[in-house]
Amino acid sequence: MAGTNRVAHHTDETRKALVNRLRRIEGQVRGIARMVEEDVYCDDVLNQITSVEAALNGTRKQLLEAHIRSCVVEQIQDGKLGVVDELMKTIGRMVP
Amino acid sequence: MAGTNRVAHHTDETRKALVNRLRRIEGQVRGIARMVEEDVYCDDVLNQITSVEAALNGTRKQLLEAHIRSCVVEQIQDGKLGVVDELMKTIGRMVP
Amino acid sequence: MAGTNRVAHHTDETRKALVNRLRRIEGQVRGIARMVEEDVYCDDVLNQITSVEAALNGTRKQLLEAHIRSCVVEQIQDGKLGVVDELMKTIGRMVP
Amino acid sequence: MAGTNRVAHHTDETRKALVNRLRRIEGQVRGIARMVEEDVYCDDVLNQITSVEAALNGTRKQLLEAHIRSCVVEQIQDGKLGVVDELMKTIGRMVP
């Protein structure tokens, strides 16, 4: 599996910001399950799912930026261009 | 707010399927927060976020379909065309 | 093929607006090919492609709305619920 | 404007492949305008627009990859990290 021997090197601040965003998203998803259980009107549930997707997209962009600015730049500077192949695969999955 | 006086009319089967999918997604988001805390390599975290978004998209489509096949069709048949305005707003937020 | 025996029933105004938007988009795509031929910097070309996609998305939503407000509503009112199956397939391709 | 003094450095092969793809897309958009003029059924037109968007997405990814593999890698290796800011803006517009 890609990344097996490697770790991320986030600053404490970045890591904390990412974890907080993800915990908030987790709570939102739990709330949506409850909305469905309580038969909340579909339009309202659909819009709430769309909000969660926007929040996930924001988190994903923040993480991608942290990744490019640290790991990718460093590895390119070290001449390890394999990181670009990986980056292209990852972006390829993110971009429609 | 749209939908205030209205409720969804899912079959028990649809409601249960939706809630199960959302609970699984909630667990996946919790897992991603843990991955970030444990400094898992960014590419792996990014791909996991992309998977969760795909799962949310699937859930959203299932819910939209249930909504159109029940609420929207019924209201159109009852001559309540306001449901189409709502539907267009909801789809407008879902479709890029 | 779906839609073989059927035609769209746009008002002249809607048809004209859609055709004008599509002609403008055609011109933009032609401009992007020229940018690539003239080695315009990639970021500028990428942003131009993103603009064209946004324009296509807008056109697609306008057409979907015209379709739902006329064909879909009429067929549901006539009890021809097969139109909902078609609509779900079409939306399924549009929505990520 | 970003990129004012800079040019792309595609190989002849890449440039030709991109231009060919874009010309084909231009022809597809022209065909869609004709479909609307001839009142082709909306579902078929919508699916054709969705196909063109997929083709544009493919072209955009091919161009992004060419850009990262040449310009971005070179500039990072030359210590010009401003290219990363630009890249983040461009990806930010591409990724939902």
Side-chain angles (χ1 to χ4, degrees), chain C residues 1-77:
Chain C
M1 182 187 161
T4 303
N5 301 317
R6 287 163 306 165
V7 295
H9 301 286
H10 299 304
T11 62
D12 285 352
E13 192 186 20
T14 300
R15 191 187 303 104
K16 205 172 162 181
L18 287 166
V19 170
N20 283 345
R21 287 180 90 158
L22 287 162
R23 293 238 171 95
R24 218 171 311 128
I25 291 168
E26 185 196 329
Q28 285 177 291
V29 176
R30 190 160 44 241
I32 296 172
R34 209 158 34 223
M35 288 169 89
V36 173
E37 279 181 325
E38 295 171 356
D39 275 338
V40 169
Y41 192 62
C42 306
D43 262 331
D44 299 330
V45 182
L46 286 167
N47 291 333
Q48 192 58 22
I49 296 179
T50 297
S51 292
V52 168
E53 298 214 18
L56 272 173
N57 281 329
T59 309
R60 200 169 58 159
K61 278 187 193 174
Q62 189 186 2
L63 180 57
L64 179 68
E65 180 154 2
H67 177 54
I68 292 180
R69 289 195 186 281
S70 58
C71 312
V72 175
V73 167
E74 273 166 39
Q75 293 190 47
I76 289 176
Q77 287 175 333

Side-chain angles (χ1 to χ4, degrees), chain B residues 18-92:
Chain B
L18 286 166
V19 170
N20 283 345
R21 288 180 89 157
L22 286 162
R23 294 241 169 93
R24 220 171 309 130
I25 291 168
E26 185 196 330
Q28 285 177 291
V29 176
R30 189 161 44 244
I32 295 172
R34 209 159 35 226
M35 289 169 88
V36 172
E37 279 180 325
E38 295 170 359
D39 275 338
V40 169
Y41 193 61
C42 307
D43 263 331
D44 299 330
V45 182
L46 286 167
N47 291 333
Q48 193 57 24
I49 296 180
T50 297
S51 293
V52 168
E53 298 214 19
L56 273 174
N57 281 328
T59 310
R60 200 168 60 159
K61 278 187 195 175
Q62 189 185 2
L63 181 56
L64 179 68
E65 179 154 3
H67 177 53
I68 292 180
R69 288 194 187 281
S70 59
C71 312
V72 175
V73 166
E74 273 166 39
Q75 292 190 48
I76 289 175
Q77 287 174 332
D78 287 357
K80 296 177 189 160
L81 296 185
V83 75
V84 178
D85 296 320
E86 276 177 19
L87 180 66
M88 288 320 305
K89 267 191 227 152
T90 300
I91 293 177

